[in-house]
């Protein structure tokens, strides 16, 4: 009997060790997939601004670390411009509806491809660690354009693009107004929802294991990605937040948490029936009214309640200093 007990104990130990090893292997593989976007397999735009009847230029700038970043630029007719930032593993084509809409109202549109996306360089996604400073490089580029007057620069970001926009705007006063469509409030707030959506795996036990390997591959501290700690720094610059109640990509509570953390002026458009970043397609007329109305109030040359012209960027040389909390 003692012999069989020892044998059974050995089998259980081997099984537990084998299962643990298998979990670790799966988690490491999924983490790598989540934080990388190889050029050969990433999404590329199927359309250009020209397909929407827009005047446009292809532009490219080097990031601080030398990675080349690509964008489309639609010139401004009213002296104001909006940077349109796509979301996670998407491409610039995601923002063409918004560019066409804004162009009809006289606004310029800069549509950058996030690093490790579309035709920009790099393959590692760092959820703002490198992407937020990249946004500062594009703001530098916009600030030097003759068709952009009076510092009238806004940002509209979808999903990850919205969270990155909040992070960068917190340290760059040149961003005069911000719209975030389905931005996540923090990685910690949304990790279980997002792990389930992107991997199909249950949050337990995989979420902490995936976070462990993702942090080691990117050098990112997941706890530091928290837009609730950044968004209050935008005030008195205005922010418009959008969140759908049927969002399965990020936590549906994200919009309310960001709104509660923001200063005035702030707006929250919550729609219980909408899925992730679906406002422009599911509610196009209301989306145009709300978004264009927002930018008209705060960026348009005739705006009566636009915030005061921003002071100099917080670091010299025309670039904003990046901070993380």
């Amino acid at each position: 009997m003692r012999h069989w007990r020892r044998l059974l104990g050995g089998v259980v130990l081997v099984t537990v060790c084998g299962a643990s090893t298998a979990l670790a292997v799966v988690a490491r593989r999924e983490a790598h997939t989540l934080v990388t976007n190889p050029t050969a397999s990433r999404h590329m735009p199927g359309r250009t601004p020209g397909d929407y009847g827009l005047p446009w230029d292809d532009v490219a700038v080097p990031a601080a670390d030398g990675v080349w970043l690509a964008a489309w630029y639609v010139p401004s007719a009213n002296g104001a411009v909006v940077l349109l930032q796509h979301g996670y593993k998407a491409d610039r084509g995601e923002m063409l509806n918004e560019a066409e809409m804004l162009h009809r109202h006289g606004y310029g549109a800069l549509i950058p491809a996030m690093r490790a996306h579309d035709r920009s360089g790099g393959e590692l996604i760092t959820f703002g660690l490198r992407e937020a400073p990249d946004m500062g490089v594009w703001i530098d580029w916009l600030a030097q354009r003759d068709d952009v007057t009076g510092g009238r620069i806004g940002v509209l970001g979808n999903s990850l693009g919205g969270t990155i926009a909040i992070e960068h705007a917190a340290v760059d006063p040149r961003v005069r107004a911000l719209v975030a469509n389905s931005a996540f409030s923090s990685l910690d707030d949304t990790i279980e929802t997002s792990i389930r959506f992107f991997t199909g795996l249950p949050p337990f036990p995989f979420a902490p294991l995936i976070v462990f390997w993702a942090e080691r591959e990117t050098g990112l501290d997941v706890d530091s990605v928290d837009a609730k700690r950044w968004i209050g720094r935008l005030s008195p610059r205005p922010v418009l937040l959008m969140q759908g109640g049927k969002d399965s990509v990020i936590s549906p509570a994200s919009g309310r948490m960001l709104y509660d953390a923001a200063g005035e002026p702030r707006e929250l458009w919550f729609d219980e029936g909408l899925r992730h970043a679906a406002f422009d397609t599911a509610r196009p007329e209301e989306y145009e009214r709300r978004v264009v109305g927002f930018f008209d109030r705060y960026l348009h040359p005739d705006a009566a309640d636009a915030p005061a012209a921003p002071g100099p960027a917080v670091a010299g040389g025309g670039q904003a200093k990046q901070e993380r909390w």
Side-chain angles (χ1 to χ4, degrees), residues 10-91:
V11 169
V12 169
L13 180 62
V14 169
T15 301
V16 169
C17 290
S20 298
T21 301
L23 286 175
V25 169
V26 170
R28 188 168 191 175
R29 182 191 68 215
E30 294 297 336
H32 178 76
T33 300
L34 288 171
V35 302
T36 57
N37 199 17
T39 305
S41 59
R42 69 179 57 162
H43 285 287
M44 294 292 177
R47 291 185 171 187
T48 71
D51 294 312
Y52 285 72
L54 303 177
W56 62 288
D57 293 309
D58 267 319
V59 294
V61 297
D65 60 358
V67 169
W68 279 92
L69 307 171
W72 293 319
Y73 185 66
V74 178
S76 176
N78 66 8
V81 66
V82 180
L83 185 155
L84 303 172
Q85 187 62 75
H86 65 75
Y88 174 78
K89 291 198 175 180
D91 60 67

Side-chain angles (χ1 to χ4, degrees), residues 47-321:
R47 291 185 171 187
T48 71
D51 294 312
Y52 285 72
L54 303 177
W56 62 288
D57 293 309
D58 267 319
V59 294
V61 297
D65 60 358
V67 169
W68 279 92
L69 307 171
W72 293 319
Y73 185 66
V74 178
S76 176
N78 66 8
V81 66
V82 180
L83 185 155
L84 303 172
Q85 187 62 75
H86 65 75
Y88 174 78
K89 291 198 175 180
D91 60 67
R92 287 171 287 175
E94 179 180 271
M95 308 308 293
L96 285 172
N97 283 337
E98 286 83 350
E100 189 277 331
M101 175 187 77
L102 290 165
H103 174 73
R104 283 191 281 106
H105 293 272
Y107 290 91
L110 177 69
I111 316 173
M114 204 182 298
R115 70 165 55 216
H117 291 75
D118 198 323
R119 300 195 183 281
S120 288
E123 294 195 347
L124 193 64
I125 301 169
T126 62
F127 299 93
L129 181 64
R130 295 184 178 89
E131 294 85 354
D134 292 347
M135 188 170 285
V137 174
W138 285 118
I139 300 294
D140 291 340
W141 187 85
L142 286 172
Q144 298 172 14
R145 288 198 56 87
D146 292 337
D147 60 321
V148 179
T149 59
R152 297 184 180 94
I153 300 173
V155 179
L156 188 162
N158 279 359
S159 193
L160 174 60
T163 302
I164 289 168
I166 294 169
E167 178 176 2
H168 179 72
V171 296
D172 191 343
R174 297 173 298 174
V175 177
R176 297 281 295 275
L178 187 148
V179 177
N181 182 355
S182 305
F184 58 84
S185 50
S186 77
L187 278 178
D188 187 59
D189 292 336
T190 195
I191 198 73
E192 292 189 3
T193 302
S194 297
I195 289 293
R196 184 181 290 109
F197 179 83
F198 287 110
T199 71
L201 297 171
F204 182 82
F206 288 101
L209 293 170
I210 289 172
V211 167
F212 175 85
W213 290 115
E215 287 183 326
R216 275 140 191 82
E217 187 158 357
T218 61
L220 176 72
D221 176 5
V222 164
D223 289 339
S224 73
V225 183
D226 190 344
K228 300 189 302 297
R229 305 206 311 249
W230 308 324
I231 197 168
R233 298 194 176 200
L234 271 64
S235 180
R237 293 170 292 155
V239 59
L240 167 61
L241 302 164
M242 305 178 196
Q243 180 63 55
K246 291 187 176 180
D247 199 326
S248 60
V249 179
I250 67 166
S251 168
S254 290
R256 170 54 65 176
M257 287 190 282
L258 286 171
Y259 179 79
D260 289 343
E264 297 292 348
R266 58 184 178 168
E267 301 175 33
L268 173 61
W269 179 12
F270 181 84
D271 190 313
E272 184 66 45
L274 291 190
R275 299 186 184 277
H276 187 66
F279 286 85
D280 63 317
T281 53
R283 307 280 189 270
E285 293 182 0
E286 186 175 3
Y287 182 85
E288 181 168 353
R289 178 177 60 80
R290 286 180 181 258
V291 172
V292 174
F294 177 83
F295 286 128
D296 280 350
R297 285 195 300 279
Y298 298 110
L299 290 185
H300 196 278
D302 298 329
D305 55 351
V314 294
Q319 292 194 12
K321 181 181 178 182

